[in-house]
Amino acid sequence: MDEEHKQLFRMLNHMAAEVGKGEQNEDSLNESLDSLMAYSEQHFMDEEKIMMQHKIDNRHFLLQRMEHQSFIYDVTRMRSEVLLDDSITDRFEKLVKFVASWLIYHTLRTDQLMARQVEAIVHGQSPEQAYETALHSALDPAVGNKVLDAVLHLWTEAVERNQLLEQKLKRQILQGGTAEN
Ligand SMILES: [Fe+2]
């Protein structure tokens, strides 16, 4: 799993480097994002398989599923929301930042919780016990700060995105259009 996480960060770095160079080739940026998303989906399936094999507590399984699915949903939605004043690089820069914050938050917090539970189950704890123990174990403070930064970024990003959408809708209503176009 760690190797897969590293690969995800490598793919993200590759995309960030393209965006950093001011890459204007939309096809190549889309290709990088497509491979990152395909790899993420495969990785989520692998994780879900491991959780099923170890009969991990359903509360954690559902949390993982929810986070995995909302990641795919958010990225898909962000890709389709092309705002008039957004350049290609701006759009991909936002995507890169979103994916980075999400990956940091998810791998350092949620996946760490999963790893601790799998380990406890392997050492003989019941899935319920393992869940409770993991939930009450503290995050390493250095990791905790990174997770907090990532959460703050995700949250600010969501607020900004909603404001932009709201402005877009208002403009459309003022122009006499409908919310659909
Ligand atoms: Fe996960």
Side-chain angles (χ1 to χ4, degrees):
M1 281 303 110
D2 276 353
E3 200 29 62
E4 291 190 7
H5 286 156
K6 278 184 200 148
Q7 176 61 16
L8 279 171
F9 279 103
R10 272 196 290 269
M11 293 172 98
L12 177 70
N13 280 338
H14 171 73
M15 214 180 122
E18 276 185 304
V19 174
K21 277 187 274 174
E23 178 67 79
Q24 291 293 318
N25 183 345
E26 201 170 359
D27 287 345
S28 113
L29 287 168
N30 270 321
E31 238 169 66
S32 303
L33 188 55
D34 283 342
S35 358
L36 181 96
M37 293 313 283
Y39 193 84
S40 306
E41 288 194 51
Q42 183 55 51
H43 167 67
F44 296 157
M45 283 202 291
D46 291 345
E47 269 184 9
E48 290 173 15
K49 220 184 280 166
I50 288 182
M51 288 189 277
M52 286 193 273
Q53 276 163 1
H54 290 89
K55 300 189 172 54
I56 218 163
D57 192 287
N58 208 34
R59 288 168 288 182
H60 185 79
F61 186 78
L62 292 176
L63 172 77
Q64 285 274 6
R65 264 260 160 99
M66 194 265 288
E67 289 189 8
H68 294 162
Q69 284 173 7
S70 71
F71 173 71
I72 310 268
Y73 175 82
D74 283 341
V75 173
T76 312
R77 206 183 61 164
M78 283 173 82
R79 287 181 88 168
S80 67
E81 277 166 12
V82 182
L83 296 163
L84 286 175
D85 32 10
D86 257 5
S87 71
I88 302 165
T89 3
D90 282 351
R91 194 147 40 90
F92 277 91
E93 196 184 319
K94 277 185 202 142
L95 277 159
V96 163
K97 284 186 181 159
F98 174 81
V99 175
S101 302
W102 191 89
L103 275 180
I104 291 171
Y105 158 79
H106 183 80
T107 56
L108 291 184
R109 178 195 160 260
T110 315
D111 290 344
Q112 278 312 309
L113 286 176
M114 174 188 74
R116 285 178 189 180
Q117 290 174 71
V118 168
E119 206 190 322
I121 293 170
V122 169
H123 285 93
Q125 283 192 22
S126 73
E128 294 77 20
Q129 271 177 323
Y131 176 81
E132 299 295 337
T133 319
L135 207 65
H136 294 108
S137 60
L139 274 181
D140 170 338
V143 168
N145 281 338
K146 276 192 200 145
V147 173
L148 191 63
D149 284 347
V151 170
L152 278 175
H153 176 259
L154 288 172
W155 181 69
T156 322
E157 162 74 24
V159 171
E160 265 171 31
R161 241 183 313 144
N162 284 340
Q163 281 170 347
L164 285 171
L165 274 179
E166 207 175 294
Q167 284 165 11
K168 192 179 168 188
L169 282 173
K170 272 191 197 149
R171 270 209 301 269
Q172 282 171 345
I173 290 165
L174 285 173
Q175 286 162 2
T178 60
E180 278 82 32
N181 55 42

